[in-house]
């Protein structure tokens, strides 16, 4: 691995990566709608002379995969960058390239992932004749669509065929700028969805005695569900039961017939994960019965934990340490987030890491998925160099 050359090439690509990220940020697209985004990525890949291996997944024109050094008989490492945006009412940032699409925003940094992987593509092309294997670049749609994850589609459609390992990464708000963070083993929590209908009897707001109010029952259920973690789970286990939406009523003087609740659950323990649906349903049903309401519960399993391979972690740690210094590479506790990269990590040895954008007090500390989320363009070259160096380390190790 020629670290000086990788760093120099990443620095040379910085302006192009920044301009491309701004283009994507101004024109964000939701999962399985990323046609314009994919068009833009394909345009840039063709400029680099990268042959597109596959475009479009799950019956759409979204997502694109290409190989660098495609005729190599050596090992193959894949790198995933997600490309979709989020449904956010309005971006709250004073940027000349702020989202021009109402209700949609790159509020998680996937525009930075796409841009930096294009930067990595440019570096790989410059190094192509010296690569001891093949590199697969996967620009994946729909990471945020929990019930239709893009990773599953790419795997089902053969994108891991012939691939020996997978690398994934994410920008991280609130972490020190340029710091490479990773967690061996379970790196993220699982992330699942639950839905609950609380059904009562509608009536006039002035005569509650003639109705059965599901909103009041729902409020009691929400409070009672907090005891799942506080009273049913051993202290020290990482478990979250969240309420995401509460929908009830249509007018101030109407007691509705039904209240709808939905939320998510997260844990790093697969055994506890398996018990959480029963715990939620039991509490909801019991409270509902006590308040004369019927409850209809639905559980939607989505993401298991991302699990990092120890050997892949060591390659990342060594590669990033050589590039940026050992002090910039940190092993960190498990993240409470989730990512559909877990489907890749279940299929191949993988490493998933984060790149800090700026700590507390900087413009880059606003939470992911918030209207104030802002990406630090300065770390695009860090992302590109880190994935290139890690991929090179893997290919070199496999061909020794």
């Amino acid at each position: 691995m020629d670290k000086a050359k990788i760093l120099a090439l990443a620095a040379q690509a910085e302006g192009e990566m920044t301009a491309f990220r701004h283009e994507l940020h101004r024109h964000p697209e939701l999962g399985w709608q990323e046609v314009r985004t994919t068009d833009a990525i394909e345009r840039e890949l063709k400029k680099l002379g990268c042959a597109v291996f596959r475009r479009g997944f799950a019956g759409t024109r979204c997502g694109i995969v290409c190989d660098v050094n495609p005729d190599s008989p050596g090992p193959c490492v894949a790198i995933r960058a997600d490309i979709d945006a989020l449904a956010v009412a309005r971006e709250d940032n004073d940027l000349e390239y702020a989202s021009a699409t109402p209700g949609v925003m790159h509020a998680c940094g996937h525009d930075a992932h796409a841009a930096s992987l294009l930067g990595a593509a440019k570096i790989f092309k410059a190094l192509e004749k010296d690569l001891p294997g093949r590199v697969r670049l996967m620009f994946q749609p729909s990471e945020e669509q929990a019930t239709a994850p893009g990773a599953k589609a790419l795997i089902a459609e053969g994108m891991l065929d012939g691939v020996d390992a997978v690398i994934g990464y994410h920008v991280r708000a609130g972490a020190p700028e340029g710091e490479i963070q990773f967690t061996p083993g379970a790196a993220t929590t699982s992330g699942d969805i639950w839905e609950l209908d609380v059904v009562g009897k509608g009536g006039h707001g002035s005569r509650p005695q003639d109705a059965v109010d599901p909103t009041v029952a729902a409020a009691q259920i929400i409070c009672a569900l907090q005891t799942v973690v506080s009273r049913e789970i051993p202290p020290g286990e990482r478990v979250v039961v969240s309420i995401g939406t509460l929908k009830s009523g249509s007018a101030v003087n109407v007691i509705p017939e039904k209240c709808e609740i939905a939320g998510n659950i997260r844990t790093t323990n697969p055994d506890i994960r398996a018990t959480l649906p029963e715990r939620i349903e039991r509490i909801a049903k019991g409270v509902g019965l006590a308040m004369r309401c019927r409850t209809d519960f639905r559980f939607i399993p989505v993401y298991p934990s991302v699990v990092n391979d120890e050997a892949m972690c060591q390659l990342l740690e060594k590669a990033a340490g050589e590039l940026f210094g050992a002090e910039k590479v940190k092993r960190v506790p498990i993240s409470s987030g989730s990512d559909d990269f877990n489907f890749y990590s279940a299929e191949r040895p993988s490493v998933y890491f984060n790149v800090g954008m700026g700590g507390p007090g900087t413009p880059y500390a606003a939470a992911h998925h918030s209207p104030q989320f802002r990406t630090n363009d300065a770390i695009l070259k860090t992302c590109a160099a880190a994935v290139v160096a890690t991929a090179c380390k893997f290919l070199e190790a496999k061909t020794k």
Side-chain angles (χ1 to χ4, degrees):
M1 183 187 86
D2 188 337
K3 71 172 186 177
K5 189 171 185 179
I6 291 173
L7 287 171
L9 289 167
Q12 291 171 20
E14 184 175 15
E16 295 168 75
M17 288 189 284
T18 299
F20 187 77
R21 188 191 78 78
H22 292 184
E23 177 186 346
L24 294 192
H25 192 88
R26 184 163 177 77
H27 302 285
E29 296 172 302
L30 297 174
W32 296 122
Q33 299 176 28
E34 310 99 321
V35 175
R36 188 187 193 282
T37 301
T38 305
D39 286 343
I41 294 168
E42 184 172 24
R43 178 193 74 213
E44 297 302 314
L45 289 173
K46 287 181 176 178
K47 284 182 185 178
L48 294 173
C50 293
V52 173
F53 176 76
R54 170 74 182 272
R55 170 165 180 171
F57 298 92
T60 74
R61 292 283 291 160
C62 303
I64 195 164
V65 174
C66 77
D67 286 354
V68 179
N69 203 22
D71 298 323
S72 171
C76 178
V77 60
I79 306 170
R80 190 289 300 263
D82 37 18
I83 65 175
D84 56 326
L86 284 154
V88 174
R90 181 183 63 85
E91 179 169 3
D92 187 16
N93 283 316
D94 183 18
L95 301 170
E96 63 180 21
Y97 55 87
S99 174
T101 305
V104 185
M105 174 190 169
H106 270 294
C108 200
H110 296 186
D111 51 343
H113 304 162
S116 56
L117 189 56
L118 276 172
K122 187 171 185 178
I123 300 171
F124 281 126
K125 287 297 289 184
L127 303 175
E128 189 168 23
K129 63 181 176 59
D130 298 319
L131 291 175
R134 182 163 45 103
V135 179
R136 174 156 292 180
L137 308 176
M138 304 192 300
F139 296 86
Q140 179 207 299
S142 190
E143 188 278 327
E144 299 286 1
Q145 297 293 321
T147 56
K152 267 191 168 182
L154 266 65
I155 294 168
E157 296 180 36
M159 293 304 100
L160 291 189
D161 293 353
V163 170
D164 298 292
V166 188
I167 300 168
Y169 62 103
H170 207 295
V171 297
R172 173 165 284 187
E177 181 178 320
E179 186 169 279
I180 306 295
Q181 301 182 340
F182 70 100
T183 307
T188 69
T189 60
S190 58
D192 300 309
I193 297 170
W194 59 271
E195 299 173 338
L196 180 70
D197 294 339
V198 183
V199 183
K201 178 183 177 184
H204 199 287
S206 68
R207 298 184 60 80
Q209 71 276 14
D210 295 333
V212 178
D213 195 334
T215 307
V216 175
Q220 297 298 318
I221 290 170
I222 289 170
C223 292
L225 287 180
Q226 304 313 303
T227 64
V228 170
V229 176
S230 68
R231 288 297 177 266
E232 297 192 23
I233 304 298
E237 290 285 355
R238 185 184 290 262
V239 180
V240 176
V241 177
S242 293
I243 312 300
T245 63
L246 175 64
K247 300 176 183 178
S248 186
S250 58
V252 297
N253 61 346
V254 175
I255 293 174
E257 181 178 3
K258 182 171 74 171
C259 181
E260 300 173 359
I261 313 172
N264 63 40
I265 51 178
R266 298 174 186 270
T267 181
T268 57
N269 187 323
D271 293 330
I272 290 178
R273 182 191 185 210
T275 70
L276 290 173
E278 182 278 329
R279 296 176 195 267
I280 295 171
E281 184 174 21
R282 167 174 45 81
I283 290 173
K285 184 176 181 179
V287 174
L289 284 172
M291 304 194 72
R292 300 178 295 153
C293 287
R294 187 183 85 242
T295 53
D296 299 323
F297 177 80
R298 296 174 295 281
F299 174 69
I300 305 167
V302 184
Y303 297 159
S305 296
V306 171
V307 179
N308 278 336
D309 177 77
E310 177 62 38
M312 292 293 292
C313 286
Q314 291 175 10
L315 290 176
L316 166 70
E317 193 169 30
K318 185 174 182 181
E322 290 178 9
L323 287 177
F324 312 117
E327 72 281 359
K328 296 289 283 186
V329 186
K330 299 288 177 65
R331 295 190 175 213
V332 297
I334 294 169
S335 166
S336 59
S338 60
D339 193 298
D340 75 351
F341 190 82
N342 70 83
F343 296 113
Y344 300 117
S345 73
E347 296 287 335
R348 298 289 188 276
S350 300
V351 63
Y352 177 91
F353 64 94
N354 290 279
V355 180
M357 296 197 298
T362 71
Y364 312 109
H368 291 262
H369 294 206
S370 75
Q372 295 81 30
F373 177 85
R374 184 180 295 204
T375 294
N376 185 354
D377 290 321
I379 56 89
L380 294 174
K381 61 181 181 292
T382 306
C383 294
V387 295
V388 170
T390 305
C392 287
K393 285 287 188 190
F394 174 79
L395 295 176
E396 290 166 2
K398 287 287 285 185
T399 51
K400 282 184 178 178

